[in-house]
Amino acid sequence: MPPPKKAAKKTAKKAAKKTAGHHHDKYHQANDLRRAYEHMGRVAVLRQSSKSSTTDAVAELTTLAQRAIKDGHSKDAADLLRASEHLTFAVLAGEVSGVVRISAELKQSITEHFDELRQRADEHWEEEEEHSNILAGIYQSSRNSAAKAFKTRAYHQALEFARAAEALAHVKQHGPLKLERGHKNLQLKSA
């Protein structure tokens, strides 16, 4: 349980967010669009340098993000692309071999942060009533990969996978079929 002061701050923050959400104003719209643009650029660079099957998930998330932008949900697009970026980093981190020895102090900090990311992801994920299968699949596999990487002490990778899951948990599902549709188009393209 967070200390009362912290809890009050959190509630106030959430309330402020809610009211801001109603008229997610022009500034935020443009800002989210810029974030999406930046994440998309990073993902493109990373995809060129990666040779992994995770790029399928990244491609799917990118398609969903483009659809979200079209539908005017730039914040979701930015979060979807933020997740792709972390996934791609996680893959690249896995290709960097060798486990670095770290101090007990650093390990403790990493562990705390890792747990916090996973807890935040769970909280946000549970707040959303429905999840599309495609997103749920990528979310679950990000979580599982994070846990596996953490066990093998591949901390860079573990944190990136955990961050990917946390980013996906922020995506709002607008209409149960919105994201499913994206999946079908995607399969047609790759066939």
Side-chain angles (χ1 to χ4, degrees):
M1 194 74 201
K5 204 171 179 182
K6 218 175 182 177
K9 228 188 211 162
K10 220 174 182 176
T11 317
K13 225 174 163 179
K14 265 200 176 144
K17 253 197 189 147
K18 275 213 174 83
T19 52
H22 285 306
H23 50 262
H24 199 62
D25 56 25
K26 284 267 189 306
Y27 167 78
H28 282 297
Q29 266 306 62
N31 201 30
D32 288 334
L33 210 52
R34 178 193 50 75
R35 279 179 55 223
Y37 170 79
E38 286 197 49
H39 287 301
M40 202 176 268
R42 291 190 200 119
V43 168
V45 170
L46 289 166
R47 273 173 78 182
Q48 279 180 336
S49 55
S50 172
K51 30 187 192 299
S52 152
S53 59
T54 305
T55 44
D56 290 349
V58 171
E60 289 186 342
L61 291 174
T62 306
T63 302
L64 294 179
Q66 284 163 333
R67 175 163 310 248
I69 288 174
K70 255 199 217 95
D71 294 344
H73 304 302
S74 6
K75 185 184 182 307
D76 294 322
D79 285 324
L80 285 161
L81 290 160
R82 180 162 68 95
S84 323
E85 191 181 314
H86 287 304
L87 279 177
T88 321
F89 264 115
V91 173
L92 291 170
E95 291 168 9
V96 178
S97 54
V99 176
V100 182
R101 285 185 60 87
I102 59 172
S103 66
E105 199 179 12
L106 177 54
K107 182 174 192 267
Q108 189 189 343
S109 176
I110 288 171
T111 306
E112 280 169 14
H113 192 61
F114 182 74
D115 291 340
E116 187 192 324
L117 281 168
R118 291 178 64 184
Q119 198 181 335
R120 273 209 314 253
D122 281 345
E123 280 168 16
H124 283 290
W125 190 254
E126 280 153 22
E127 270 173 24
E128 214 34 60
E129 308 293 286
E130 290 179 71
H131 291 288
S132 74
N133 300 339
I134 175 174
L135 219 56
I138 298 175
Y139 177 77
Q140 273 322 121
S141 82
S142 299
R143 283 209 49 139
N144 298 344
S145 301
K148 233 181 352 208
F150 194 84
K151 270 205 189 79
T152 61
R153 298 205 298 274
Y155 297 123
H156 285 295
Q157 202 177 28
L159 289 165
E160 290 296 344
F161 276 125
R163 284 212 170 84
E166 198 265 342
L168 288 175
H170 280 276
V171 177
K172 295 273 167 273
Q173 310 276 293
H174 302 280
L177 293 170
K178 272 265 162 65
L179 294 169
E180 296 302 343
R181 240 178 27 235
H183 197 38
K184 297 217 173 52
N185 292 358
L186 221 131
Q187 286 171 330
L188 292 177
K189 255 187 245 162
S190 59

